[in-house]
């Protein structure tokens, strides 16, 4: 006999799990499937096999872009890893001062749209750049050099974070043993430190490679006539409206991203195993050479990061860089320009709405997947779907969304059945941008929620049930209050990323609503580079402001929670 | 203590499978009103599963649970009004001691005026009055467990379910809490089912002990009966150490060291000697009626104080009267 314990609560729970699954399936899986199908079809939707691929390979530009992309991604990863490793070493293994400040400076690039690095480079080394005259005439920042430098900035904080975590914990006994054998500093670094963070280095390399491969903003601004895969993809879609070839080209972004996600995952599992048997840290010993060397290094990097940002700030408040340096705020008077549907407040509201719903959806879904057992197959499917956005470049997501939401009917593969697309009405509304933001940045907050929930006793719901309390009560009165710090963190993550992102929204903005990041591209294209700089700088300051509010709220929260929170 | 033997809960043919393995196999058990029943068994034998089924937290199982003769299988956990305490305490960390208790009372829709008085009385009962404003992480493990108990008994449950409530605590605290638990249970007279893998805990607390092994119930009796008359070698050995001689179970304290040879006296060689506080445990290599045996003997520390029982020493011991081989019987002692 099977007891069917039918109740309202269980029905509600199952419905929640089902709707969360449907959200992920409709907005992640179906658009990707649509993208794959498009790459194998002609414009009328008939299956043509690999014809589009052949067509794509026939074009010479493909090979050039591919090679360029590989050069850019490889070089910027190597450059940035080297610098990030030094910076992470300085902030974990040396006695340098003001580590907290240095760490915050390393995070600054996260607040800026990638276009900003291109703009700063133009001001420094471009046609009217202040340093341009020191270089020979044959040198041009517009092209590979510019892209590589810009991407190195962009990926620096990501790589720094990974290496910082790898370097932070270590087994002191290895170093003590080496000391007894009288090993020198460099030898210890090569023989002990590097091997102990090898998985961190591998992960950092692939993260850097993927981020710079799939970035659209920097190459768009500083690439000049040099094409990389990301700019080429957008040309097919936005310029030629050739969706079939565009779909094929975007697969060349998706495949390396997917592959590196896989390798990263493997590496991080190994890394965990490496530290499983307790690593102990020891007091850092005084070492004068180390102190001086890394102080200089860390200050140097910090100055470059701040300097790079300052160039855009300064240029945006001058009348005409570099000829008339009279200060002015006219570049911040965005209403002077016709930027079709652009509005600062709307951009902030869309980012806030994305952050709000993104946080709710992520946390609820992580909760349902981890703490409940009502519809196991759907819970498992949701767990898998939740990790896909991590491997999904924004450009690919954006293209999938146009393909999916723009088609009035959907044909089911291998049949002749066509069904009307009930979601087509979303096309051309800001809602689609909100959804794209939520999906694009979904995985990291999902993982944050999951690890926050893992720390919570799994018997809370059972205990509450025996006390006649509903699951909803426990969710709101226990799970949410306990996870509030993580929820705040998730919220600013969504907000900041929604503010800086360009890759998915470049395909999805509408005549009525154009986000700031898209307006940057438009201004730069029309030669108003100072306004593009002003827009980029505004985004940075809005994000820093949001960050400060976040820090303030977290402090307040911690004071309130001090009595009961263990951490 | 056990009141009139009124049957409160009846577990009928309850089985539960996870995949292909049984977590519970055909469990039949009656629980009397007001009694303290211990479910005792090794880890993984299905005790928690049975408790969770009683609480209504597991729904897919075979068999029936009756309360006062009525099936309660389809009744939700909250509506059963069984209080439950988990090994991990499961106190809400963001609520103070009194808020935790208030949470339960509010969920059971206690009237507002009564809530405060009720909180007061359970805190007094569990000796926690001075800690009422504190949060769980400001309390010791023992105090937290008492809060969990207070929260479970506050709504006056008909049955109290305890899943290894003392296992996570230090030995000293555990002993202390055991006494308190027993006292509280007697004071309020609530029918209590406690899961434990600690036989000492079960024997000292329970009115009746239900021993489980491999998803099955193997014996239900009073602690004395279980200790004196185990029905299987598993129970005998789980409850304490046992010698198996002529298929009879002999407690180590029932084997007596003797100085002179009698007709039920055997000899053996000491292979180990362990000091265990108030007694000494000696293992002997012996040959009883041509069968090689290892015999365990517990000697109270104030007996045979003049002897050392060194390894390799040869000594004599007597088996109890009832353990007599046919050959010895013929010798007429
Ligand atoms: N949710 C579950 N899924 C699969 N197997 C389970 C689950 N819960 C318990 N089991 C299995 O059922 C058996 C009994 O578990 P449990 O009742 O927790 O044992 P005990 O409390 O006696 O240690 C164990 O073998 C355990 O592995
Ligand atoms: Mg258990």
């Amino acid at each position: 006999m099977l007891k069917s314990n039918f109740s309202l609560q269980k029905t509600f729970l199952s419905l929640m799990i089902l709707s969360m699954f449907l959200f992920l399936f409709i907005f992640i899986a179906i658009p990707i499937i649509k993208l794959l199908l498009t790459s194998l079809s002609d414009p009328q939707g008939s299956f043509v096999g690999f014809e589009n691929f052949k067509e794509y390979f026939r074009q010479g530009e493909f090979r050039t872009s591919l090679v360029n992309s590989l050069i850019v991604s490889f070089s910027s990863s190597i450059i940035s890893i080297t610098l990030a490793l030094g910076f992470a070493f300085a902030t974990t293994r040396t006695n340098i001062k003001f580590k907290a400040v240095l760490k915050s400076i390393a995070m600054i690039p996260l607040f800026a749209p990638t276009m900003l690095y291109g703009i700063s480079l133009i001001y420094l080394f471009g046609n009217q750049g202040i340093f341009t005259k020191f270089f020979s005439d044959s040198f041009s920042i517009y092209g590979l050099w510019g892209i590589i430098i810009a991407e190195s900035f962009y990926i620096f904080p990501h790589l720094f974070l990974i290496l910082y975590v790898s370097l932070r914990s270590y087994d002191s006994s290895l170093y003590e043993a080496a000391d007894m054998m009288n090993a020198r500093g460099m030898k210890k670094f090569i023989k002990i430190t590097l091997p102990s963070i090898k998985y961190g280095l591998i992960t950092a390399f692939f993260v850097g490679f993927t981020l710079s491969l799939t970035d659209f903003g920097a190459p768009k601004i500083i690439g000049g006539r040099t094409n990389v895969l990301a700019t080429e993809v957008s040309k097919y879609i936005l310029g030629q409206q050739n969706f079939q070839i565009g779909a094929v080209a975007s697969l060349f972004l998706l495949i390396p991203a997917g592959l590196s996600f896989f390798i990263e995952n493997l590496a991080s599992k190994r890394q965990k195993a490496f530290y499983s048997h307790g690593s102990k840290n020891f007091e850092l010993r005084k070492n004068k050479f180390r102190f001086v060397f890394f102080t200089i290094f860390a200050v140097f990097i910090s100055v470059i990061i701040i300097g790079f940002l300052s160039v855009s700030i300064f240029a945006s408040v001058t009348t005409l860089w570099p000829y008339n340096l009279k200060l002015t705020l006219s570049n911040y008077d965005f209403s002077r320009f016709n930027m079709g549907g652009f509005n600062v407040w709307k951009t902030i509201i869309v980012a806030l709405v994305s952050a709000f719903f993104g946080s709710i959806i992520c946390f609820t879904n992580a909760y349902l997947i981890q703490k409940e057992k009502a519809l196991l197959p759907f819970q498992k499917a949701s767990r898998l779907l939740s990790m896909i956005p991590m491997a999904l470049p924004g450009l690919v997501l954006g293209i999938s969304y146009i393909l999916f939401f723009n088609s009035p009917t959907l044909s089911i593969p291998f049949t002749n059945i066509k069904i009307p697309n009930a979601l087509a009405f979303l096309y051309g509304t800001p809602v689609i941008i909100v959804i794209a933001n939520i999906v694009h940045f979904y995985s990291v907050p999902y993982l944050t929620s999951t690890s926050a929930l893992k720390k919570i006793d799994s018997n809370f719901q059972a205990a509450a049930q025996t006390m006649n309390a509903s699951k909803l009560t426990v969710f709101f009165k226990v799970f949410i209050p306990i996870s509030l710090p993580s929820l705040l963190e998730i919220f600013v993550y969504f907000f900041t990323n929604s503010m800086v992102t360009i890759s998915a929204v470049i395909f999805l903005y509408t005549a009525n609503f154009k986000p700031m990041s898209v307006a940057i591209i438009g201004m730069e294209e029309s030669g108003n580079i100072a306004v593009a700089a002003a827009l980029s700088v505004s985004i940075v300051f809005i994000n820093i402001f949001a960050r400060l509010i976040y820090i303030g709220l977290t402090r307040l929260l911690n004071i309130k929670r001090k009595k009961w929170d263990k951490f | 203590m056990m009141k009139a033997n009124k049957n409160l809960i009846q577990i009928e043919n309850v089985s539960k499978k996870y995949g292909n393995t049984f977590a519970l196999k055909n469990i039949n058990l009656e629980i009397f009103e007001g009694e303290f029943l211990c479910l005792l068994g090794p880890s993984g034998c299905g005790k928690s599963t049975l408790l969770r089924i009683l609480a209504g937290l597991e729904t897919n199982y075979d068999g029936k649970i009756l309360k006062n003769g009525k099936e309660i299988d389809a009744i939700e956990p909250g509506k059963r009004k069984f209080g439950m305490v988990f090994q991990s305490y499961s106190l809400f960390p963001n609520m103070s001691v009194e808020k935790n208790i208030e949470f339960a009372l509010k969920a059971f829709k206690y009237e507002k005026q009564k809530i405060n008085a009720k909180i007061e009385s359970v805190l007094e009962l569990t000796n926690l009055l001075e800690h009422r404003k504190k949060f769980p992480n400001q309390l010791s493990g023992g105090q937290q467990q008492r809060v969990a108990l207070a929260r479970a008994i506050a709504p006056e449950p008909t049955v109290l379910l305890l899943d290894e409530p003392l296992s996570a605590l230090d030995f000293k605290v555990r002993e202390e809490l055991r006494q308190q638990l027993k006292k509280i249970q007697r004071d309020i007279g609530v029918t209590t089912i406690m899961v434990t893998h600690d036989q000492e805990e079960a024997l000292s607390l329970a009115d009746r002990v239900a021993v489980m092994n491999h998803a099955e119930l193997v014996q239900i009796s009073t602690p004395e009966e279980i200790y004196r008359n185990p029905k299987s070698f598993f129970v005998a050995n789980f409850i304490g150490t046992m010698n198996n001689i002529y298929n009879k179970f002999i407690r180590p304290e029932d084997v007596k060291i003797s100085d002179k040879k009698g007709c039920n006296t055997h000899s053996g060689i000491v292979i180990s000697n362990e000091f265990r506080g108030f007694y000494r445990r000696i293992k002997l290599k012996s040959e009883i009626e041509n069968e090689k045996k290892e015999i365990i003997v517990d000697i109270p520390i104030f007996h045979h104080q003049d002897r050392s029982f060194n390894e390799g020493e040869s000594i004599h011991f007597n088996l109890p009267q009832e353990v007599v081989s046919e050959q010895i019987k013929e010798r007429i002692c």
Side-chain angles (χ1 to χ4, degrees):
Chain A
M1 185 175 53
L2 211 68
K3 309 287 176 309
S4 65
N5 198 339
F6 178 86
S7 71
L8 202 61
Q9 182 153 292
K10 255 197 168 153
T11 317
F12 177 69
L13 198 59
S14 306
L15 275 177
M16 286 299 293
I17 291 173
L18 208 58
S19 31
M20 280 296 167
F21 166 76
L22 282 177
F23 175 85
L24 297 175
F25 188 74
I26 291 172
F27 295 114
I28 298 173
I30 292 185
I32 296 176
I33 294 169
K34 178 75 186 167
L35 177 78
L36 295 175
L37 291 175
T38 306
S39 73
L40 301 171
S41 313
D42 65 11
Q44 282 68 46
S46 319
F47 181 73
V48 292
F50 288 100
E51 279 311 308
N52 294 323
F53 286 77
K54 284 184 200 151
E55 170 73 25
Y56 179 56
F57 295 144
R58 256 198 299 278
Q59 303 176 347
E61 294 150 51
F62 157 68
R63 238 159 290 153
T64 327
S65 314
L66 182 67
V67 171
N68 285 342
S69 270
L70 292 178
I71 294 173
V72 166
S73 303
F74 189 81
S75 322
S76 47
S77 300
I78 295 298
I79 293 170
S80 209
I81 278 193
T82 313
L83 301 177
L85 180 63
F87 207 81
F89 193 89
T91 46
T92 51
R93 305 279 181 100
T94 73
N95 283 319
I96 63 167
K97 302 273 186 287
F98 305 115
K99 284 183 186 167
V101 177
L102 292 169
K103 272 191 289 189
S104 308
I105 292 173
M107 292 298 115
I108 289 177
L110 291 177
F111 299 146
T114 48
M115 289 74 82
L116 183 132
Y117 314 116
I119 293 169
S120 284
L121 282 173
I122 290 175
Y123 280 127
L124 292 172
F125 310 104
N127 290 337
Q128 285 118 42
I130 39 174
F131 294 127
T132 313
K133 54 177 176 283
F134 301 116
F135 292 87
S136 73
D137 284 349
S138 62
F139 174 81
S140 168
I141 195 71
Y142 302 95
L144 286 183
W145 277 110
I147 307 175
I148 290 172
I149 297 171
E151 300 299 1
S152 303
F153 271 99
Y154 163 48
I155 63 181
F156 179 81
H158 298 269
L159 310 192
F160 165 72
L161 276 180
I162 295 167
L163 295 172
Y164 178 81
V165 170
S166 312
L167 280 168
R168 198 174 39 185
S169 54
Y170 45 91
D171 189 350
S172 59
S173 59
L174 289 177
Y175 293 92
E176 278 157 8
D179 282 344
M180 292 202 284
M181 289 182 269
N182 218 4
R184 296 289 307 269
M186 202 57 200
K187 189 160 189 182
K188 279 191 278 188
F189 181 77
I190 291 167
K191 292 266 165 166
I192 304 173
T193 310
L194 279 185
S196 77
I197 59 163
K198 69 172 174 237
Y199 297 115
L201 287 168
I202 293 170
T203 305
F205 178 80
F206 282 103
V207 166
F209 192 91
T210 310
L211 286 174
S212 44
L213 177 77
T214 58
D215 177 47
F216 168 77
K220 176 77 188 145
I221 299 285
I222 196 74
R225 268 189 282 278
T226 307
N227 259 329
V228 290
L229 286 174
T231 48
E232 199 182 84
V233 169
S234 75
K235 238 173 24 198
Y236 283 116
I237 302 285
L238 298 173
Q240 307 174 6
Q241 304 273 312
N242 188 342
F243 294 117
Q244 286 65 40
I245 301 292
V248 170
S250 68
L251 289 183
F252 282 87
L253 294 176
L254 183 58
I255 293 166
L259 214 62
S260 78
F261 168 71
F262 180 73
I263 296 171
E264 246 174 82
N265 244 0
L266 222 63
S268 68
K269 264 182 205 143
R270 295 268 166 86
Q271 177 86 50
K272 265 179 214 140
F274 197 88
Y275 284 118
S276 59
H277 37 88
S279 312
K280 286 168 297 177
N281 293 9
F282 61 112
E283 283 285 303
L284 290 164
R285 259 168 301 166
K286 289 213 171 70
N287 180 328
K288 192 145 190 199
F289 170 74
R290 202 187 260 199
F291 177 80
V292 172
F293 179 85
F294 280 102
T295 301
I296 292 171
F297 178 81
V299 168
F300 176 71
I301 297 278
S302 304
V303 165
I304 287 191
I305 291 174
I306 293 174
F308 218 67
L309 178 66
S310 310
V311 169
S312 278
I313 296 176
F314 192 59
S316 71
V317 294
T318 53
T319 312
L320 184 62
W321 176 281
Y323 309 113
N324 181 352
L325 298 184
K326 213 171 131 251
L327 294 186
T328 171
L329 279 177
S330 66
N331 292 322
Y332 286 85
D333 182 9
F334 303 129
S335 60
R336 288 192 301 136
F337 304 92
N338 177 19
M339 291 194 255
F342 160 76
N343 181 316
V344 177
W345 288 110
K346 270 195 198 166
T347 307
I348 294 177
I349 289 170
V350 164
L352 284 173
V353 170
S354 307
F356 182 75
F357 287 104
S359 312
I360 292 178
I361 292 173
C362 263
F363 186 78
T364 310
N365 210 9
Y367 168 82
L368 291 171
I369 290 171
Q370 214 194 313
K371 297 285 179 191
E372 293 296 345
K373 273 190 217 155
L375 284 175
L376 277 178
F378 287 101
Q379 286 167 262
K380 277 187 191 146
S382 290
R383 174 180 302 175
L384 276 180
L385 285 168
S386 295
M387 295 311 294
I388 290 180
M390 194 89 110
L392 200 58
L395 281 180
V396 180
L397 184 74
I399 293 169
S400 314
Y401 272 33
I402 329 184
L403 295 174
F404 173 56
F405 291 102
N406 202 12
S407 50
T409 58
L410 297 170
S411 35
I412 296 172
F414 314 114
T415 64
N416 286 326
I417 305 167
K418 281 187 189 247
I419 48 168
N421 184 356
L423 293 168
F425 76 95
L426 289 175
Y427 193 71
T429 67
V431 177
I432 198 171
I433 296 185
V434 168
I435 296 174
N437 283 338
I438 293 174
V439 168
H440 188 180
F441 306 114
Y442 186 85
S443 296
V444 170
Y446 166 76
L447 290 176
T448 309
S449 310
T450 303
S451 60
L453 286 164
K454 264 200 186 126
K455 291 184 202 141
I456 301 180
D457 190 327
S458 50
N459 278 328
F460 278 171
Q461 283 293 9
Q465 268 184 288
T466 64
M467 289 183 255
N468 201 29
S470 76
K471 293 195 171 211
L472 221 50
T473 311
V474 181
F475 183 75
F476 284 113
K477 290 216 164 152
V478 182
F479 282 89
I480 299 251
I482 293 180
S483 313
L484 221 44
S486 305
L487 277 166
L488 271 182
E489 190 186 326
I490 292 170
F491 189 93
V492 280
Y493 178 89
F494 268 120
F495 178 80
T496 301
N497 281 297
S498 302
M499 286 303 295
V500 300
T501 189
I502 180 75
S503 52
V505 291
I506 188 81
F507 300 113
L508 302 173
Y509 74 92
T510 69
N512 297 326
F513 171 64
K514 188 193 263 182
M516 284 172 95
S517 57
V518 178
I520 295 172
I521 304 269
M523 282 292 104
E524 197 272 340
E525 275 178 344
S526 60
N528 283 313
I529 183 166
V531 181
L535 285 164
S536 307
V537 169
S538 305
I539 291 180
V540 175
F541 280 108
I542 291 169
N543 279 334
I544 290 179
F545 184 66
R547 190 84 202 166
L548 291 176
I549 294 179
Y550 164 74
I551 292 171
L553 284 178
T554 310
R555 291 255 162 92
L556 272 180
L557 203 61
N558 282 343
I559 293 169
K560 274 191 77 179
R561 293 161 62 97
K562 216 159 107 193
K563 269 201 212 137
W564 58 268
D565 199 342
K566 272 167 272 183
F567 311 103
Chain B
M1 257 341 299
M2 240 189 290
K3 293 179 194 154
N5 282 0
K6 188 175 166 264
N7 178 334
L8 180 67
I9 303 279
Q10 190 132 5
I11 301 171
E12 283 186 1
N13 290 318
V14 166
S15 295
K16 163 97 190 161
K17 269 182 161 181
Y18 285 114
N20 282 328
T21 50
F22 279 100
L24 293 172
K25 207 173 190 174
N26 247 333
I27 305 289
N28 283 288
L29 179 61
E30 287 180 342
I31 295 141
F32 301 116
E33 187 149 2
E35 80 168 324
F36 196 131
L37 180 93
C38 270
L39 283 176
L40 173 67
S43 176
C45 71
K47 309 176 297 285
S48 295
T49 307
L50 185 56
L51 209 67
R52 290 173 62 86
I53 286 177
L54 281 170
L57 295 170
E58 302 280 345
T59 45
N60 288 341
Y61 57 90
D62 291 327
K64 277 191 233 171
I65 309 284
L66 308 170
K67 184 178 145 196
N68 289 325
K70 287 195 200 88
E71 273 186 47
I72 57 166
D73 304 283
I75 295 179
E76 281 176 50
K79 304 286 176 274
R80 295 186 186 195
K81 232 183 169 195
F82 288 5
M84 183 147 178
V85 174
F86 295 85
Q87 183 179 351
S88 55
Y89 319 132
S90 297
L91 294 173
F92 304 132
N94 56 327
M95 299 181 196
S96 64
V97 169
E98 57 183 8
K99 291 281 174 205
N100 260 284
I101 300 168
E102 188 186 84
F103 181 92
L105 293 170
K106 275 193 176 158
F108 278 114
K109 312 216 160 45
Y110 264 64
E111 290 162 49
K112 268 214 170 83
Q113 314 82 284
K114 288 190 182 167
I115 288 184
N116 260 332
K118 191 74 214 175
I119 292 176
E120 192 101 1
S121 81
V122 284
L123 286 178
E124 190 167 356
L125 194 65
T126 47
N127 230 341
L128 285 165
L129 271 177
E130 59 191 302
H131 303 297
R132 61 187 300 168
K133 299 276 180 211
K134 288 190 184 160
F135 286 90
N137 79 327
Q138 298 172 308
L139 301 173
S140 72
Q143 288 165 339
Q144 288 183 44
Q145 193 54 282
R146 263 151 48 205
V147 178
L149 185 65
R151 188 176 67 174
I153 59 177
E156 297 166 43
T158 38
V159 178
L160 182 59
L161 305 170
L162 310 168
D163 194 351
E164 312 239 5
L166 309 176
S167 301
L169 303 169
D170 306 340
F171 179 72
K172 257 303 223 218
V173 185
R174 203 158 61 206
E175 294 261 290
E176 233 176 80
L177 262 187
R178 211 188 267 172
Q179 304 308 319
Q180 286 194 23
L181 181 60
K182 181 83 187 173
K183 186 175 172 303
I184 291 168
Q185 194 265 340
R186 274 190 197 164
D187 285 354
I188 59 175
V190 63
T191 310
T192 302
I193 303 168
M194 180 172 109
V195 159
T196 178
H197 64 262
D198 179 340
Q199 93 282 355
E200 206 180 299
E201 200 167 286
L203 296 184
S204 63
L205 277 173
D207 297 320
R208 288 193 308 152
V209 177
V211 186
M212 291 181 64
N213 190 26
H214 293 313
E216 288 182 286
L217 207 56
V218 290
Q219 190 170 357
I220 316 162
S221 318
T222 60
E224 289 81 3
E225 181 68 10
I226 293 258
Y227 190 81
R228 281 293 147 208
N229 276 321
K231 283 195 193 142
S232 60
F233 190 66
F234 167 76
V235 175
N237 219 13
F238 194 73
I239 290 300
T241 313
M242 276 288 184
N243 293 300
N244 184 354
I245 304 165
Y246 309 134
N247 292 323
K248 284 236 161 73
F249 308 132
I250 311 297
R251 294 266 170 220
E253 66 266 28
D254 291 337
V255 181
K256 304 282 183 222
I257 301 294
S258 83
D259 294 331
K260 36 186 190 303
K261 255 176 133 67
C263 64
N264 199 7
T265 303
H266 307 266
S267 61
I269 304 212
V270 178
I271 48 177
S272 74
N273 174 350
E274 251 177 53
F275 177 68
R276 293 205 166 186
F278 59 91
Y279 67 95
R280 191 177 277 290
R281 172 159 293 180
I282 289 172
K283 277 192 188 151
L284 299 171
K285 205 166 58 184
S286 173
E287 208 166 293
I288 301 177
E289 307 303 338
N290 304 322
E291 202 187 330
K292 285 212 167 73
K293 282 261 169 219
E294 207 179 273
I295 306 285
I296 297 168
V297 188
D298 285 351
I299 309 164
I301 209 69
F302 45 84
H303 286 181
H304 305 288
Q305 275 168 331
D306 51 326
R307 298 185 57 176
S308 54
F309 304 110
N310 292 325
E311 276 175 45
E313 195 178 314
S314 175
I315 57 173
H316 300 293
F317 59 91
N318 283 330
L319 292 175
Q321 279 305 315
E322 66 268 25
V323 195
V324 176
S325 75
E326 297 305 314
Q327 289 156 292
I328 293 174
K329 267 183 201 159
E330 283 160 21
R331 280 190 228 149
I332 313 158
C333 295

